[in-house]
């Protein structure tokens, strides 16, 4: 599947910068948007009314992210962050100079790529519907989202090759999230379940074309605002052998993903992600990321800021071009997270 060269990159980047700036202004919601405590008629002193934005600071992290309750609802058709938006410099132990796949006519010609490059991640989403099954429920709000993510590897330091983009992956998704409130042992709570349809493609023609489609089931649980866990399991939508660019992708990239988010303190967060095929041992990947807040929102809220981002990745699927190549990547950069 072919996409126009990098127009989406510049469009999404502009939207992200504009929306991130607006999110950090902390525009307050109307007092009528949320249930508030009313002063008693007999009270001699008026009770102050707390006005909060749609990113309700009283809500938990998962509730704010997926807007699981009317009190954390930001409405439909506004741009939100999805996956981290980042710019990073990376170094790797190897680079895919001649990508190949078991499919016929899917081996590229040699290119003298370097192991040092930059990575650009762009990701936005919008809520296109809400209250489909929970209309009128004062405590729960289900939602339907459309998301778009893009990752590019740019050979910025490779002047001999005229600094090309080595790989760019496009990933549109449609996601339905249903809120759940289920108490688990030790203070944990199951917060949501969901299902979605995902397409991922690198937008290249043969012999470099790589793509697949999945149905993804999701669930999330949390321990207050300190720790949350997101699980995803997917089933690839079958393709006939003539059009399958990467027949062994689930045995390499995996069939399931588990991510643990730990807010160590007000400025530091750790994220650990593991993927596995659930069948073969030589599959999947490990990713460990550290986020360090380096700027605060103007309203002193905790919801949005710029972060220093350091990450170590090892395994398969760092990009679609590398879906069947095992490599280790270390990156350092800047990230907008949860804006």
């Amino acid at each position: 599947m072919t996409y126009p060269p990098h127009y989406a990159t510049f469009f999404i980047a502009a939207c992200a910068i504009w929306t991130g700036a607006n999110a950090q202004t902390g525009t307050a919601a109307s007092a009528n948007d949320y249930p508030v405590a009313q002063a008693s008629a007999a009270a001699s002193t008026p009770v102050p009314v707390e006005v909060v934005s749609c990113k309700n600071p009283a809500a938990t992290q998962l509730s704010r992210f997926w807007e699981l309750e009317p009190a954390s609802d930001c409405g439909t058709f506004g741009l939100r962050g999805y996956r981290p938006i980042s710019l990073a410099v990376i170094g790797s132990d190897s680079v895919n100079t001649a990508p190949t796949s078991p499919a016929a006519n899917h081996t590229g010609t040699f290119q003298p790529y370097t192991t040092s490059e930059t990575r650009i991640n762009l990701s936005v989403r919008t809520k296109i519907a809400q209250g489909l099954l929970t209309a009128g429920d004062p405590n729960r709000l289900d939602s339907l989202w459309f998301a778009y993510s893009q990752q590019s590897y740019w050979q910025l330091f490779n002047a001999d090759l005229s600094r090309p983009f080595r790989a760019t992956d496009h990933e549109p998704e449609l996601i339905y999230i249903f809120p759940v409130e289920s108490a688990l042992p030790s203070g944990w709570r199951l917060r949501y379940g969901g299902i979605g349809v995902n397409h991922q493609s690198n937008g290249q023609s043969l012999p470099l074309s790589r793509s697949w489609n999945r149905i993804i089931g999701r669930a999330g649980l949390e321990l207050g605002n300190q720790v949350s866990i997101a699980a995803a399991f997917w089933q690839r939508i079958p393709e006939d052998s003539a059009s399958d660019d990467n027949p062994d992708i689930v045995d390499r990239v995996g069939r399931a993903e588990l991510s643990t988010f730990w807010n160590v303190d007000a400025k530091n967060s750790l994220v650990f992600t593991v993927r596995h095929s659930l069948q073969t041992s030589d599959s999947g990947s490990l990713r460990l990321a550290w986020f360090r807040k380096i700027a605060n929102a103007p309203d002193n809220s905790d919801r949005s800021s710029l972060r220093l981002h350091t990450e170590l990745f090892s395994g398969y699927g760092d990009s679609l071009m590398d879906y069947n190549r095992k490599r280790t990547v270390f990156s350092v950069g800047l990230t907008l997270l949860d804006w």
Side-chain angles (χ1 to χ4, degrees):
M1 190 172 188
T2 303
Y3 289 80
H6 306 301
Y7 294 145
T9 301
F10 300 113
F11 171 74
I12 296 297
C15 289
I17 292 170
W18 179 84
T19 307
N22 278 277
Q24 292 195 10
T25 61
T27 303
S30 164
N32 294 324
D33 290 344
Y34 302 100
V36 295
Q38 299 294 327
S40 169
S44 58
T45 305
V47 175
V49 175
E50 181 183 4
V51 180
V52 298
S53 70
C54 65
K55 293 292 187 182
N56 188 346
T60 63
Q61 183 170 306
L62 288 183
S63 178
R64 291 194 303 268
F65 188 81
W66 288 115
E67 301 174 19
L68 301 176
E69 301 151 349
S72 58
D73 173 32
C74 291
T76 55
F77 297 106
L79 281 180
R80 326 275 205 275
Y82 181 34
R83 296 171 183 164
I85 297 177
S86 63
L87 174 63
V89 177
I90 76 156
S92 60
D93 64 341
S94 66
V95 66
N96 207 345
T97 55
T100 188
S101 164
N105 303 315
H106 280 70
T107 299
T109 56
F110 172 81
Q111 297 291 334
Y113 295 130
T114 60
T115 56
S116 298
E117 50 191 348
T118 60
R119 183 177 60 214
I120 304 170
N121 286 327
L122 304 170
S123 187
V124 295
R125 64 194 167 121
T126 186
K127 189 196 300 184
I128 58 178
Q130 61 185 16
L132 300 174
L133 299 178
T134 61
D137 190 326
N139 300 314
R140 297 188 301 169
L141 187 67
D142 64 341
S143 51
L144 182 66
W145 300 80
F146 174 76
Y148 175 80
S149 302
Q150 181 175 305
Q151 175 181 265
S152 296
Y153 276 102
W154 182 18
Q155 290 271 296
L156 178 62
F157 312 111
N158 194 343
D160 292 340
L161 208 58
S162 194
R163 311 183 199 278
F165 279 82
R166 179 176 66 84
T168 296
D169 297 334
H170 309 267
E171 193 170 355
E173 299 180 72
L174 192 64
I175 308 162
Y176 173 74
I177 297 294
F178 187 84
V180 178
E181 183 57 60
S182 179
L184 300 173
S186 303
W188 287 90
R189 293 191 301 162
L190 179 64
R191 296 308 317 279
Y192 70 85
I195 192 168
V197 180
N198 174 288
H199 169 76
Q200 189 178 23
S201 169
N202 66 352
Q204 296 280 351
S205 56
L206 290 177
L208 299 179
S209 177
R210 306 287 186 269
S211 66
W212 61 329
N213 302 299
R214 296 174 285 168
I215 297 174
I216 303 178
R218 302 170 181 268
L221 61 156
E222 64 186 3
L223 181 64
N225 268 315
Q226 187 173 18
V227 183
S228 62
I229 297 176
F233 305 87
W234 52 81
Q235 175 65 49
R236 185 183 182 188
I237 299 174
E239 299 181 44
D240 62 70
S241 57
S243 60
D244 193 345
D245 294 321
N246 24 250
D248 58 339
I249 192 168
V250 291
D251 291 327
R252 291 291 172 257
V253 174
R255 295 177 174 87
E257 177 183 278
L258 191 69
S259 293
T260 301
F261 305 80
W262 177 27
N263 294 317
V264 180
D265 54 35
K267 288 189 174 291
N268 296 281
S269 301
L270 295 175
V271 181
F272 179 68
T273 302
V274 57
R275 281 184 169 184
H276 201 275
S277 73
L278 305 179
Q279 292 186 8
T280 63
S281 58
D282 187 24
S283 69
S285 61
L286 298 173
R287 189 185 302 268
L288 178 62
W290 168 51
F291 297 92
R292 168 75 177 181
K293 187 179 294 186
I294 57 176
N296 291 320
D299 57 0
N300 295 319
S301 70
D302 193 38
R303 71 170 192 269
S304 178
S305 69
L306 187 67
R307 287 161 168 84
L308 175 67
H309 177 199
T310 303
E311 181 179 289
L312 180 65
F313 171 92
S314 183
Y316 296 96
D318 191 38
S319 70
L320 266 183
M321 201 72 76
D322 298 314
Y323 87 91
N324 57 355
R325 182 186 184 88
K326 191 173 186 177
R327 71 180 198 141
T328 299
V329 180
F330 179 75
S331 62
V332 176
L334 296 175
T335 292
L336 277 174
L337 187 66
D338 189 26
W339 48 272

